[in-house]
Amino acid sequence: MAEGITLKKVEKEIGKAYIDLRFLLEALYEVLVENGEETIADSIPWIQEGTSKDVSITPKVVQLYSLVFQLVNMVEINSAVQNRRKLEERDFAGVNGLWAWNLKALKEQGFTQREILDTMRKLSIEPVLTAHPTEAKRATVLEHHRELYLLLVQLENTMYSNHEKERIRETIKLTLYRLWKTGEIYLEKPDVDSEFRNILHYLVNVFPQVISIVDNRLEHALSIVGFNSETLRAHHFYPHIAFGNWVGGDRDGHPLVTSEVTRHTLLQLRLNAFVVIRRKLNALVRRLSLTHSLENCSTDYQKRLQEMSAELGDKGPEALNRNKGEAFRQMVALMIAKLPVDTERGHATKLSEVKGAYVHSSQLRNDLSILQKELLHFGAKSVAYGDITAAIRIVEVFGFHLAALDIRQNSAFHDKAVSQLLKAAQLQENSFAEWDEAKRTQFLLDELRHARPFVHPKTPLEKEAQTVMECYRAVEAHTAKYGFNCIGSFIVSMTRSFSDLLTVYLMAKEAGLTFMTDKGLVSKVHVVPLLETIEDLENGPSILKEYLGNPMVMRSLKYEQQQKQLARPRQQIMVGYSDSNKDGGIMASQWNLYKAQYKLAQVGKDFGVDIRFFHGKGGSISRGSGPTHYFVQALSFGSPNGDIRLTEQGETIAQKYANKVNAAYNIELLVANTLSKTLLEQSTERTFHKHAKIIEWLANESKERYGELIQSEGFIAFFRTATPIDAIETSKIGSRPAKRTGASSLADLRAIPWVFSWSQARYHMTSWYGLGTALKNLKSSHSEDYAVLKEALKKDPFLRYVFTNVDSSLAATDEGIMSLYAELVPDTDIRKEFLSKFLGELKSMRDHLYDLLEKDIKERRKNHYYSNQLRTTLMTSLHKKQVELLGKWREERKENSKAAEKTQTELMLTINAIASANRNTG
């Protein structure tokens, strides 16, 4: 426990955030007392200093502490936002990683405006939202959080009178009370639809506002550093930003994602794209009140309006004549009329087949360009480059699909599906899953030389084949009608070979997602390997060589290049941060990811193909988290290449994007640093990491130490009893099962619950285990290399990123709590053996990190240190309660007692509270 740490001390050391925290806790105290809950109000921590009493950890107190931790998280985010504002007030280029910071640095390094803007317009950035089972809070609770945050921000506004501020305070109390009375954990597993609604909130209500903020800040940054922002606006050199989505498309080990769910998801995404666009066009109608008759407009403009009116049939003249004398409003009214949606009380409610409606977003984009050109001709440049550019950007970013839906499935599932297809086609040899790679590949290449399907669409199929074909046919039906922008890629989890990718082409052909040319078959779907384990990452370059060397694959990539108007063919590759970490520990994972990307980028270059890396990151350190700008700058040469896709998972979405200012900050970090990294690499020779020899040594040594641990006899027994993994597996957090197939092996366990369970018990071993021994051995046997490493940590982006993350993880690791959970292990020998290993490795890691950085975390990262210390004052009692409940629940389950269900609910409250304190789950 952090002895002597009080809120008063943290307020004194850090300031604003914790003054806000006291304000919220006092407001919570008042509202609880006002509603007759004095007993629980007296349990609110930190605000009643000087009174010492033992608090009994009841379910209500656990719920209270969970809420308190959420309030700590909230005030810290708000404080960070306010601090950035203060820094920018003094110097707009003063915040590390943002537009102005990067542009200033690029200018100082000799890059011209033309070079910067030319690269800017080619950038492609795509965050992909997923609903992995890491968001432990219900969507309703998240809504209340958003409301509370906005109220907290309102209090910062100096324009309000004391009376108005008091009213805001009363509203804050009411919101806090709602949060207190809202059940926080999932008593039933959320369905995919509820997870999808949560994702929709960000896509519809947050990101459309964020795009304008990021663009406006870019324009201002260009001006601040001495460039001409007019060039950006006039030539529309804005970076390409898009969003992706996995909810409703990711079916890897997720039986609830059916073809019907995918079909519904695609339609809902399309409908909500029109909600976003209609909202923007309605705002345009209100703003374009400029008096200018249609007769005084250019001939081309008049002609287009007449065409639009005619296309709409009877509705056309009505829309055209609504705003006579206001020619610009007239065109927007016609655009709104051409949106293929029905409306009720001014809101888009369902897709419809409107006569003359737009089918593709490019049609609306073209009309907006005509409107912009006419406004420039009229002389309203500010409106043309302000309001119209903002509308164009919305259409460019969200299209008519809102976010591209990825379809993901496991390679083993595909193997079963193909075997079943062959069986249904009555082929004698149908055990495809058992064939060796040579036989599989030859069979697939032979079958892909012609367009003949195996079975009639109505032929009954076995489970896996039926599941895959229904999904692919749902995609085919939707894309045949609305185009392919709505689909991101078809991702193959656990890609182990070339044939794993060809398998998708075979099933795409079966569903009508390919077509035949005079040169051979072409696929409309983009097939993506997901390289997850360290072995997969090592094999990735050879798989890619074979893949890109195939003529059908290159035809398909060139077809996509033509459809998307790309400069060169582009192949996406997904790299997994989670399983590679579970495989070999933090250093081996990060280094093998670095090496794989470097080699894969070179393979792409050799074939004349741009490689687009898709980073499968999570919310925890061991799953690729960490500061965004550090992450981008740490990537290997050629990895971003102006084009980056990455997952935003679980609670990370709420942490980064719950409010628009913080959301804009995180998007800006991603885009600005991709620009900077890409430009710097374009002007330098391709090189591998200069400290590769040292890092390779550390990676191998740490992996060996980590491997010894997880492969030791008794390790699984220790893991399954010294952490709450069994409670997490049976929890109701996410719609997806914790295991891929249901087996109880370490290999089958998903990386998310693996990380989640270690973090609950405060081991956080996935972020440091093995590295302490590696550093110790490096220092003793290669002291010169150790000295080089120590110096490199000050400047090298890759090493700084990895060790900053390790540092954060160590700060959250607690030896006393680790020992407490170890007491749950019934076998004394196993308990002693593994606890000794963990504590020994942890000491070595702490000692060597201090030696390398030469300062304690209290000096280096003051805010982080005091935040952790304050949280720890509550966490110890929560951990003790969780350990007690775990022991009780496990005994009750053995006896099949009905009491186990009640105990599990209490247990889940502690899991939720500790997750809030840790700031992440898995």
Side-chain angles (χ1 to χ4, degrees):
M1 183 177 276
E3 297 295 341
I5 289 290
T6 63
L7 181 56
K8 188 177 285 185
K9 181 173 177 60
V10 180
E11 283 174 300
K12 183 182 174 184
E13 293 290 339
I14 308 299
K16 180 73 170 63
Y18 302 95
I19 295 167
D20 286 349
L21 177 61
R22 183 180 293 277
F23 168 83
L24 289 175
L25 294 177
E26 287 173 350
L28 178 62
Y29 180 87
E30 285 177 27
V31 78
L32 288 175
V33 170
E34 287 165 9
N35 284 276
E37 297 195 54
E38 291 90 348
T39 304
I40 196 66
D42 285 338
S43 299
I44 295 174
W46 305 326
I47 57 172
Q48 300 177 63
E49 286 156 13
T51 59
S52 62
K53 58 177 184 220
D54 290 328
V55 177
S56 177
I57 306 300
T58 64
K60 269 201 164 185
V61 169
V62 175
Q63 186 187 345
L64 174 70
Y65 284 4
S66 182
L67 175 55
V68 167
F69 288 131
Q70 290 158 32
L71 297 180
V72 175
N73 295 341
M74 188 179 294
V75 297
E76 287 177 352
I77 289 171
N78 185 44
S79 175
V81 170
Q82 301 306 326
N83 286 339
R84 289 195 296 269
R85 281 187 172 141
K86 284 176 185 172
L87 284 171
E88 289 188 335
E89 198 65 37
R90 292 196 295 268
D91 175 10
F92 196 68
V95 180
N96 187 358
L98 295 182
W99 278 130
W101 172 285
N102 280 284
L103 290 170
K104 183 182 178 184
L106 289 169
K107 188 179 182 183
E108 286 170 354
Q109 290 175 73
F111 289 96
T112 65
Q113 174 173 302
R114 181 166 184 171
E115 288 172 324
I116 291 170
L117 291 182
D118 190 50
T119 300
M120 180 96 67
R121 69 187 174 90
K122 296 172 187 171
L123 291 184
S124 184
I125 312 295
E126 188 175 349
V128 180
L129 308 185
T130 79
H132 280 320
T134 60
E135 177 52 87
K137 291 185 284 297
R138 292 172 55 205
T140 304
V141 173
L142 293 171
E143 284 290 344
H144 293 323
H145 280 197
R146 292 176 194 120
E147 184 183 353
L148 184 59
Y149 182 88
L150 292 174
L151 288 165
L152 197 59
V153 171
Q154 269 188 284
L155 276 180
E156 307 281 345
N157 198 324
T158 54
M159 67 174 273
Y160 290 115
S161 67
N162 288 337
H163 170 70
E164 287 169 320
K165 284 184 177 178
E166 187 53 40
R167 287 309 311 151
I168 294 170
R169 190 175 189 278
E170 287 301 314
T171 310
I172 284 173
K173 284 166 61 176
L174 188 58
T175 307
L176 284 167
Y177 190 67
R178 282 197 205 100
L179 263 173
W180 169 244
K181 299 303 279 187
T182 301
E184 211 192 312
I185 60 167
Y186 287 110
L187 298 176
E188 298 296 332
K189 262 192 172 302
D191 57 16
V192 179
D193 199 46
S194 65
E195 291 176 334
F196 179 61
R197 284 196 301 273
N198 192 38
I199 296 295
L200 272 183
H201 166 80
Y202 296 95
L203 292 169
V204 174
N205 299 316
V206 178
F207 293 130
Q209 296 182 60
V210 164
I211 299 302
S212 290
I213 295 171
V214 173
D215 286 351
N216 292 339
R217 286 178 55 81
L218 169 58
E219 292 165 10
H220 187 55
L222 283 165
S223 300
I224 287 290
V225 301
F227 290 138
N228 183 5
S229 60
E230 191 72 20
T231 308
L232 172 77
R233 288 191 284 263
H235 296 281
H236 203 77
F237 281 169
Y238 297 93
H240 175 67
I241 299 171
F243 294 93
N245 169 44
W246 273 21
V247 184
D250 178 17
R251 56 233 317 123
D252 178 12
H254 199 330
L256 298 178
V257 181
T258 62
S259 60
E260 182 53 35
V261 166
T262 297
R263 188 192 70 81
H264 174 73
T265 300
L266 287 166
L267 290 172
Q268 283 298 304
L269 286 168
R270 185 170 175 85
L271 173 63
N272 281 278
F274 292 126
V275 170
V276 170
I277 288 168
R278 198 172 189 281
R279 191 183 290 165
K280 198 69 178 176
L281 294 180
N282 280 331
L284 265 188
V285 168
R286 291 192 297 273
R287 289 172 181 169
L288 290 178
S289 57
L290 292 70
T291 302
H292 187 53
S293 66
L294 188 55
E295 293 76 22
N296 292 327
C297 293
S298 67
T299 306
D300 287 347
Y301 188 76
Q302 291 185 49
K303 182 184 174 187
R304 180 55 191 147
L305 262 67
Q306 293 302 330
E307 286 172 357
M308 292 169 79
S309 177
E311 287 161 5
L312 284 164
D314 294 341
K315 286 188 174 181
E318 181 189 338
L320 180 62
N321 296 325
R322 194 170 294 146
N323 299 286
K324 283 198 170 181
E326 296 172 336
F328 307 121
R329 271 183 166 172
Q330 285 177 288
M331 186 170 199
V332 180
L334 287 164
M335 291 177 191
I336 292 170
K338 283 173 72 65
L339 296 177
V341 285
D342 287 340
T343 58
E344 285 181 20
R345 296 187 295 280
H347 296 287
T349 55
K350 66 176 182 178
L351 296 169
S352 68
E353 304 294 327
V354 178
K355 183 185 177 185
Y358 295 121
V359 178
H360 304 296
S361 59
S362 57
Q363 297 165 324
L364 173 56
R365 170 69 173 83
N366 291 339
D367 282 343
L368 283 165
S369 294
I370 292 168
L371 174 60
Q372 187 177 53
K373 186 179 176 184
E374 194 65 24
L375 278 161
L376 288 168
H377 182 70
F378 174 68
K381 188 166 75 170
S382 297
V383 177
Y385 289 149
D387 295 333
I388 309 304
T389 292
I392 288 171
R393 289 289 281 156
I394 290 296
V395 176
E396 287 175 341
V397 171
F398 299 100
F400 284 0
H401 61 280
L402 196 64
L405 183 69
D406 283 347
I407 305 295
R408 183 174 76 132
Q409 185 54 277
N410 196 287
S411 58
F413 195 97
H414 285 160
D415 287 350
K416 288 181 184 175
V418 173
S419 295
Q420 291 163 6
L421 268 177
L422 303 189
K423 188 178 174 184
Q426 298 185 343
L427 270 69
Q428 284 189 328
E429 280 200 275
N430 54 41
S431 54
F432 177 82
E434 296 167 19
W435 296 350
D436 63 28
E437 176 64 9
K439 185 174 181 179
R440 285 158 59 98
T441 302
Q442 192 55 56
F443 169 78
L444 291 165
L445 290 173
D446 289 345
E447 285 298 324
L448 290 166
R449 287 194 179 98
H450 57 75
R452 183 187 66 237
F454 283 108
V455 296
H456 187 275
K458 292 187 179 177
T459 302
L461 298 169
E462 291 176 66
K463 182 186 168 186
E464 283 80 5
Q466 186 73 16
T467 299
V468 173
M469 295 319 301
E470 283 177 351
C471 166
Y472 282 31
R473 284 168 184 152
V475 170
E476 195 283 326
H478 189 90
T479 54
K481 190 171 185 179
Y482 299 122
F484 244 91
N485 287 344
C486 58
I487 297 295
S489 46
F490 279 47
I491 299 167
V492 184
S493 297
M494 294 295 173
T495 298
R496 301 283 160 83
S497 64
F498 174 43
S499 67
D500 286 341
L501 303 176
L502 285 184
T503 300
V504 179
Y505 283 81
L506 185 78
M507 293 183 292
K509 183 188 82 166
E510 195 73 13
L513 287 165
T514 61
F515 62 93
M516 192 61 77
T517 68
D518 55 357
K519 291 182 180 177
L521 200 75
V522 171
S523 172
K524 297 178 191 175
V525 302
H526 189 86
V527 182
V528 173
L530 169 46
L531 307 172
E532 299 181 75
T533 66
I534 288 174
E535 185 182 358
D536 295 344
L537 289 165
E538 289 171 342
N539 294 335
S542 61
I543 294 171
L544 185 63
K545 277 181 191 174
E546 196 171 1
Y547 185 66
L548 294 181
N550 181 269
M552 178 195 61
V553 170
M554 287 304 293
R555 278 195 303 273
S556 300
L557 294 182
K558 284 174 181 174
Y559 166 75
E560 184 185 21
Q561 176 193 358
Q562 183 184 15
Q563 293 297 303
K564 295 188 175 177
Q565 299 179 321
L566 303 171
R568 284 174 297 281
R570 181 176 70 183
Q571 174 61 46
Q572 187 183 141
I573 298 172
M574 188 170 184
V575 288
Y577 288 69
S578 309
D579 282 280
S580 59
N581 178 273
K582 185 166 74 117
D583 231 19
I586 188 76
M587 198 74 213
S589 168
Q590 291 291 335
W591 181 236
N592 278 282
L593 282 158
Y594 185 98
K595 287 194 299 183
Q597 289 172 66
Y598 185 85
K599 291 173 184 175
L600 290 162
Q602 183 61 53
V603 172
K605 190 176 181 184
D606 294 343
F607 281 90
V609 173
D610 287 338
I611 300 300
R612 181 185 212 196
F613 286 106
F614 181 12
H615 303 271
K617 297 164 77 257
S620 60
I621 298 301
S622 50
R623 297 188 54 242
S625 183
T628 300
H629 45 315
Y630 282 16
F631 167 74
V632 174
Q633 297 297 339
L635 292 171
S636 63
F637 195 105
S639 176
N641 197 28
D643 192 351
I644 194 167
R645 206 169 187 243
L646 75 174
T647 54
E648 299 286 18
Q649 296 182 0
E651 81 280 331
T652 307
I653 299 171
Q655 287 170 5
K656 290 170 76 171
Y657 304 117
N659 70 83
K660 66 180 182 182
V661 177
N662 208 46
Y665 167 71
N666 282 292
I667 294 290
E668 186 176 335
L669 277 179
L670 184 57
V671 188
N673 286 279
T674 302
L675 169 74
S676 181
K677 172 88 169 164
T678 303
L679 267 167
L680 290 169
E681 288 187 354
Q682 285 174 359
S683 63
T684 55
E685 191 179 338
R686 175 180 163 83
T687 52
F688 195 47
H689 201 291
K690 66 179 178 179
H691 301 303
K693 180 171 149 284
I694 298 171
I695 302 170
E696 181 78 24
W697 195 92
L698 283 173
N700 289 337
E701 285 281 310
S702 61
K703 184 188 175 194
E704 187 178 335
R705 179 73 169 174
Y706 179 89
E708 284 171 6
L709 174 79
I710 64 171
Q711 288 155 24
S712 297
E713 189 177 343
F715 172 75
I716 295 295
F718 182 88
F719 165 61
R720 294 204 68 85
T721 47
T723 75
I725 180 60
D726 45 351
I728 289 164
E729 285 174 340
T730 55
S731 73
K732 309 290 174 66
I733 293 174
S735 67
R736 197 172 75 163
K739 298 174 187 172
R740 283 189 163 94
T741 66
S744 287
S745 66
L746 189 59
D748 193 65
L749 182 70
R750 292 187 185 278
I752 296 164
W754 162 255
V755 174
F756 193 179
S757 51
W758 286 117
S759 69
Q760 282 282 309
R762 300 287 289 286
Y763 281 71
H764 296 283
M765 58 80 75
T766 55
S767 306
W768 53 263
Y769 196 92
L771 187 54
T773 294
L775 290 167
K776 179 184 174 183
N777 294 346
L778 183 71
K779 188 177 182 180
S780 61
S781 59
H782 304 280
S783 57
E784 287 182 10
D785 286 345
Y786 186 84
V788 170
L789 174 69
K790 189 171 186 174
E791 192 58 33
L793 277 172
K794 296 172 185 174
K795 291 182 180 177
D796 183 80
F798 174 78
L799 289 168
R800 181 185 61 183
Y801 172 69
V802 174
F803 277 83
T804 297
N805 284 345
V806 171
D807 187 29
S808 298
S809 191
L810 286 177
T813 303
D814 188 303
E815 293 90 326
I817 303 301
M818 291 163 68
S819 301
L820 180 69
Y821 279 84
E823 289 300 316
L824 287 164
V825 181
D827 187 307
T828 307
D829 291 339
I830 288 176
R831 181 197 316 144
K832 286 180 178 176
E833 178 191 348
F834 286 98
L835 183 60
S836 173
K837 285 182 178 182
F838 280 116
L839 294 178
E841 187 66 27
L842 179 60
K843 184 178 186 309
S844 182
M845 187 65 240
R846 287 198 197 280
D847 290 347
H848 286 90
L849 193 68
Y850 181 81
D851 183 49
L852 287 167
L853 301 178
E854 296 182 327
K855 283 183 182 177
D856 192 79
I857 192 168
K858 186 177 178 180
E859 292 178 73
R860 290 183 284 103
R861 300 169 70 186
K862 187 177 177 182
N863 287 20
H864 193 85
Y865 170 79
Y866 277 105
S867 175
N868 276 353
Q869 291 297 299
L870 187 65
R871 291 162 193 266
T872 299
T873 61
L874 299 189
M875 288 180 76
T876 302
S877 55
L878 285 173
H879 286 298
K880 286 178 179 175
K881 187 66 180 179
Q882 187 177 93
V883 167
E884 176 198 321
L885 289 168
L886 269 170
K888 182 184 176 190
W889 177 67
R890 286 167 179 169
E891 286 303 314
E892 288 169 349
R893 285 183 89 200
K894 282 181 195 170
E895 299 163 12
N896 291 317
S897 167
K898 287 185 178 178
E901 198 170 321
K902 181 175 180 291
T903 304
Q904 187 182 11
T905 302
E906 280 191 58
L907 190 50
M908 281 309 300
L909 280 169
T910 66
I911 287 172
N912 212 54
I914 292 167
S916 292
N918 280 334
R919 305 177 193 83
N920 68 65
T921 51

